[in-house]
């Protein structure tokens, strides 16, 4: 069963983690923790703490590929756990026992047991050492879940289970009638039926066992969800698992979302909280995914194929190093990447020759899907690359990087392999700026800071936490990418972010810190044209959202002012129109190729 463990105290909650690993038996285990931030402090302020906490959670099950971590942030911790359950849809939520009335992420153990968000198991005491587990059975869903948990634990740990039924007056059912085939499991070594006071009988049997698993059968709505027998069991047991079932919650995608406040200040605060929470939960460092064996195991467990597409245009100075960095580490040493393909935009240098010499297939993007025509631009190359790449996950890496490193690939892949809710990942980094023969440590990313981020903050504030929305190192799931339109030029990154936000929500996007990236800087006038196209993309999407022709009615010509040698100024006119390609999944040739 898929298990989600709510981690409050990593050291104290090890027994809950052990139970999850035993019950999962090859399925997924999610270690979820919440950083509670008091009112008056921004949620984003705890991002460094979130990174440290993720590292701590990783150490709870080192080297176990099916385990992934989830660190989120909230004003009230229990609400964040409920959201995690809604998003992840685990079969079982596991947490550690707290005394009645004691704080548990802003709630109490009684409230959790009264209204669990899904089937739940609460671990008390040193359950990790248990080998003989007692399961009192009265019948019903609680008893079945308790028996299932105990048997799963015994199977994983080489232990045994005793099923106990305390008979009441009159004719009573057998344990087989109460539990069906589960009563005949090979880990059940004793079937015991006794008469007497249930609390006393259970106490006597418990003396011969290491632990007990039982259902919290207190009636719904009662102040005490354990009931008197349950309270006696908890008091007498050295180690216990208390279970309770619930109707699974609906996926959050279909849940009604609360409306934003009508006033501007309230709306800004609400969006700010949303972005801060996303920033903590979905911002990673590439070093978190440096364990390549773990990524390979996650890839193989999910049966995924991974493709890396390299868009090129006159990159003969760097393309060879980029290919070798990926191939030697991520294909030959660790089988993480299944294919590398160059998608060239008709280079005039030796780019294609070098790539082929490295054994990499090369496609000229104007020759891919020729019946659809062709446009100039990076976005066109990315769109057409979906047709020639075969992976379930597609990663694109810019090829003008002079400090190339495998982390630009595995860092992007990490969230996609470890977080099934993530659909699209962007890299971010410090970008040094070349000025003549010197390199300034910062100052690159001028279009990002002067155009892209202000535009997103203004029109799509949910994306305001994106550090570098224009980064070329990005990747996503084919199932999502093939459903998106692509702008053919420099607006492609902005368009993809906006469209994924509108179709899948902010939680489907993640970003990864790559520390530093050194590449070829463009001239200022070229950056002006890039900014012009990015603004067109934003206007187009804003107009569509409001049913207005903002983009269609806007000017499509930019005048660039350049100084001449004689001191006079010259106006250069450039027509720049953000052309949009339809979703690849609508192209007949693509559909036919994918089917075959």
């Amino acid at each position: 069963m898929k298990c989600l463990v709510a981690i409050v105290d990593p050291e104290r909650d090890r027994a809950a983690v052990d139970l999850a690993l035993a019950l999962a038996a090859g399925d997924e285990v999610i270690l979820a923790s919440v950083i509670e931030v008091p009112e008056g402090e921004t949620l984003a302020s705890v991002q460094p703490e979130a990174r440290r906490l993720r590292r701590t959670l990783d150490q709870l099950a080192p080297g176990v590929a099916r385990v992934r971590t989830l660190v989120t942030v909230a004003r009230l911790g229990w609400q964040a756990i409920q959201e995690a359950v809604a998003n992840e849809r685990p079969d079982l939520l596991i947490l550690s026992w707290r005394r009645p009335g004691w704080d548990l992420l802003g709630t109490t153990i009684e409230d959790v047991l009264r209204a669990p968000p899904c089937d739940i198991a609460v671990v008390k005491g040193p359950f990790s050492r248990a080998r003989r587990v007692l399961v009192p059975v009265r019948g019903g869903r609680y008893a079945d879940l308790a028996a299932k948990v105990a048997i799963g634990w015994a199977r994983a740990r080489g232990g045994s289970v005793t099923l106990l039924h305390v008979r009441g007056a009159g004719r009573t059912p057998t344990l087989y009638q109460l539990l069906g085939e589960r009563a005949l499991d090979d880990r059940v070594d004793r079937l015991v039926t006794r008469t007497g006071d249930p609390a006393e009988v259970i106490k006597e049997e418990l003396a011969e066992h290491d632990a007990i698993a039982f259902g919290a059968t207190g009636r719904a709505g009662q102040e005490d969800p354990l009931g008197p027998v349950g309270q006696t069991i908890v008091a007498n047991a050295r180690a216990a698992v208390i279970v309770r079932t619930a109707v699974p919650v609906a996926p959050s995608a279909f849940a009604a979302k609360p409306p934003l406040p009508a006033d501007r200040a309230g709306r800004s605060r609400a969006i700010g909280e949303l972005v801060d929470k996303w920033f903590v939960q979905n911002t990673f460092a590439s070093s978190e995914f440096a364990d390549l064996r773990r990524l390979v195991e996650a890839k193989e467990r999910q049966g995924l194929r991974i493709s890396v597409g390299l868009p090129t245009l006159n990159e003969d100075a760097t393309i060879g190093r980029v290919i070798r960095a990926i191939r030697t580490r991520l294909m030959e040493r660790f089988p993480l990447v299944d294919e590398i393909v160059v998608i060239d935009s008709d280079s005039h240098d030796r780019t294609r020759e070098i790539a082929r010499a490295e054994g990499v297939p090369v496609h000229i993007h104007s020759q891919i899907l020729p019946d659809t025509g062709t446009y100039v631009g990076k976005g066109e190359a990315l769109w057409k690359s979906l047709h020639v790449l075969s992976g379930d996950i597609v990663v694109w890496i810019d090829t003008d990087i002079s400090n190339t490193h495998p982390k630009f690939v595995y860092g992007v892949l990490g969230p996609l392999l470890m977080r099934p809710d993530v659909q699209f990942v962007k890299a971010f980094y410090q970008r040094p700026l070349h000025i003549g023969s010197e390199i300034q440590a910062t100052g690159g990313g001028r279009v990002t800071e002067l155009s892209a981020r202000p535009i997103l903050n203004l029109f799509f504030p949910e994306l305001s936490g994106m550090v570098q929305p224009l980064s070329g190192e990005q990747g996503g799931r084919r199932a999502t990418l093939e459903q998106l339109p692509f702008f053919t030029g420099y607006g492609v990154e902005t368009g993809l972010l906006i469209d994924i936000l509108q179709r899948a929500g902010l939680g489907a996007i993640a970003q990864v810190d790559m520390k530093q990236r050194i590449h070829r800087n463009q001239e200022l006038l070229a950056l002006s044209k890039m900014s012009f196209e990015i603004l067109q993309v934003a206007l187009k999407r804003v107009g569509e959202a409001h049913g207005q022709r903002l983009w269609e009615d806007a000017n499509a010509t930019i005048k660039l002012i350049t100084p001449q040698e004689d001191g006079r100024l010259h106006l250069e006119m450039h027509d720049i129109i953000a052309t949009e390609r339809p979703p690849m999944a609508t192209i007949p040739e693509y559909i036919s190729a994918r089917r075959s």
Side-chain angles (χ1 to χ4, degrees):
M1 58 176 72
K2 179 180 179 180
C3 297
L4 188 148
V5 187
I7 303 293
V8 178
D9 181 338
E11 191 63 35
R12 178 177 178 178
D13 295 341
R14 286 184 178 274
V17 175
D18 289 342
L19 179 62
L21 293 173
L23 297 180
D27 209 330
E28 192 173 36
V29 174
I30 304 152
L31 306 182
S33 193
V34 184
I35 302 174
E36 293 184 297
V37 181
E39 293 289 345
E41 297 182 19
T42 65
L43 296 178
S45 65
V46 299
Q47 203 276 330
E49 184 180 347
R51 184 177 298 178
R52 291 192 295 270
L53 182 55
R54 279 197 293 267
R55 288 198 295 266
T56 300
L57 296 186
D58 285 339
Q59 295 306 308
L60 292 177
V64 183
R66 68 180 187 274
V67 176
R68 61 184 173 89
T69 59
L70 173 64
V71 174
T72 186
V73 63
R75 302 297 181 191
L76 187 64
W78 181 241
Q79 290 181 356
I81 294 298
Q82 289 175 306
E83 290 177 8
V85 169
N87 291 328
E88 299 288 351
R89 304 189 71 185
D91 300 303
L92 190 68
L93 168 64
I94 303 177
L95 46 81
S96 295
W97 171 260
R98 297 294 187 276
R99 291 183 182 179
W102 283 29
D103 177 76
L104 175 65
L105 296 170
T107 185
T108 63
I109 200 69
E110 306 97 288
D111 287 337
V112 172
L113 288 172
R114 265 193 291 269
C118 66
D119 288 359
I120 190 170
V122 182
V123 182
K124 174 183 181 289
F127 198 84
S128 297
R129 297 197 291 267
R131 291 299 178 269
R132 302 186 64 202
V133 183
L134 177 68
V135 181
V137 177
R138 289 180 59 187
R141 293 179 300 154
Y142 297 165
D144 184 73
L145 179 57
K148 182 178 181 181
V149 167
I151 290 170
W153 172 263
R155 178 170 292 109
R157 295 304 181 97
S160 63
V161 174
T162 297
L163 301 180
L164 169 66
H165 176 54
V166 181
R167 185 168 24 196
R171 185 177 179 180
T172 59
T174 66
L175 279 163
Y176 180 79
Q177 290 172 321
L178 291 171
L179 289 177
E181 295 292 333
R182 209 177 298 283
L184 305 180
D185 192 279
D186 60 359
R187 287 295 161 183
V188 177
D189 69 346
R190 294 180 63 213
L191 299 175
V192 179
T193 300
R194 292 183 53 180
T195 58
D197 176 73
E200 289 300 318
V201 172
I202 293 171
K203 180 179 179 181
E204 292 175 11
E205 291 288 340
L206 186 55
E208 301 179 12
H209 294 79
D210 305 317
I212 187 169
F214 69 99
T217 55
R219 294 182 180 179
Q222 285 188 336
E223 183 67 23
D224 181 6
L226 288 174
V229 175
Q231 289 288 3
T232 301
I233 293 173
V234 169
N236 293 323
R238 294 185 300 275
V241 172
I242 305 107
V243 305
R244 191 148 191 170
T245 61
V247 177
V249 296
S252 61
F254 301 103
K257 294 179 173 56
L260 292 173
D263 64 293
R264 174 175 285 186
R267 191 163 60 248
S268 296
R269 284 194 300 271
I271 292 176
E273 291 263 298
L274 173 71
V275 174
D276 282 0
K277 181 175 181 178
W278 171 85
F279 188 81
V280 170
Q281 183 170 333
N282 283 32
T283 299
F284 303 90
S286 61
S287 58
E288 297 182 60
F289 308 110
D291 185 348
L292 299 182
R293 288 185 178 86
R294 184 184 183 199
L295 294 186
V296 170
E297 289 171 355
K299 166 200 163 183
E300 293 175 347
R301 185 177 67 253
Q302 297 171 64
L304 298 173
R305 181 173 172 81
I306 294 174
S307 298
V308 174
L310 303 178
T312 58
L313 177 60
N314 299 324
E315 312 294 357
D316 62 0
T318 52
I319 183 62
R321 291 199 300 271
V322 172
I323 291 173
R324 288 191 292 274
I326 299 170
R327 187 187 61 224
T328 56
R329 187 77 181 277
L330 305 183
M331 297 183 79
E332 297 171 354
R333 186 174 178 187
F334 295 95
L336 183 62
V337 171
D338 295 290
E339 69 173 349
I340 305 174
V341 176
V342 164
I343 304 94
D344 187 65
S345 297
D346 202 15
S347 295
H348 301 304
D349 62 4
R350 298 179 61 250
T351 296
R352 295 195 297 274
E353 179 183 341
I354 294 171
R356 291 190 179 106
E358 293 289 343
V360 172
V362 176
H363 296 267
I364 300 175
H365 87 241
S366 60
Q367 299 174 8
I368 302 172
L369 295 173
D371 291 344
T372 65
T374 190
Y375 293 91
V376 174
K378 178 183 177 181
E380 176 81 349
L382 299 187
W383 181 71
K384 287 191 169 182
S385 75
L386 290 176
H387 185 60
V388 297
L389 297 172
S390 61
D392 307 292
I393 292 177
V394 173
V395 176
W396 293 298
I397 304 296
D398 280 353
T399 51
D400 60 348
I401 308 172
S402 58
N403 65 329
T404 187
H405 191 280
K407 68 183 178 182
F408 290 111
V409 174
Y410 69 68
V412 170
L413 285 172
L416 293 165
L417 290 173
M418 308 309 292
R419 286 272 302 273
D421 57 317
V422 171
Q423 302 295 313
F424 189 66
V425 178
K426 298 281 287 186
F428 70 93
Y429 26 67
Q430 292 181 357
R431 296 179 64 178
L433 179 64
H434 291 262
I435 300 180
S437 60
E438 297 183 356
I439 298 179
Q440 290 187 359
T442 59
R446 290 162 288 173
V447 175
T448 294
E449 294 302 330
L450 298 178
S451 294
R453 295 199 72 254
I455 288 169
L456 293 178
N457 273 266
L458 185 62
F459 296 120
F460 303 96
E462 296 93 337
L463 296 171
S464 58
M466 296 298 302
V467 179
Q468 281 176 330
L470 305 183
S471 69
E473 288 65 48
Q474 57 195 327
R477 302 184 192 280
R478 177 181 295 273
T480 296
L481 296 173
E482 67 182 6
Q483 300 295 327
L484 301 175
F486 277 58
F487 287 93
T488 59
Y490 287 122
V492 62
E493 280 93 3
T494 306
L496 286 176
L497 277 177
I498 295 171
D499 291 342
I500 291 173
L501 171 69
Q502 294 178 337
R503 287 164 171 78
L506 183 59
I509 302 171
Q511 61 182 352
V512 181
D513 185 359
M514 305 291 181
K515 297 305 180 185
Q516 191 179 74
R517 177 189 188 275
I518 301 175
H519 75 144
R520 184 178 63 244
N521 299 119
Q522 296 200 49
E523 297 294 332
L524 193 60
L525 293 182
L527 300 183
S528 182
K529 291 190 286 185
M530 185 186 301
S531 298
F532 188 74
E533 189 166 349
I534 290 169
L535 182 55
Q536 287 190 56
V537 169
L539 279 177
K540 192 172 193 301
R541 291 295 182 255
V542 171
E544 290 168 348
H546 293 83
Q548 299 179 11
R549 294 171 52 88
L550 298 180
W551 173 74
E552 292 84 352
D553 295 340
N555 180 40
T557 300
I558 184 172
K559 293 182 176 66
L560 300 179
I561 304 174
T562 58
Q564 303 299 300
E565 292 183 359
D566 59 5
R568 291 184 297 176
L569 297 178
H570 175 65
L571 295 183
E572 292 183 4
M573 295 182 61
H574 296 267
D575 291 328
I576 300 176
I577 300 176
T579 304
E580 187 174 2
R581 285 295 202 172
M584 184 58 76
T586 66
I587 304 301
E589 296 92 330
Y590 176 82
I591 296 171
S592 176
R594 294 299 296 172
R595 285 175 178 170
S596 63

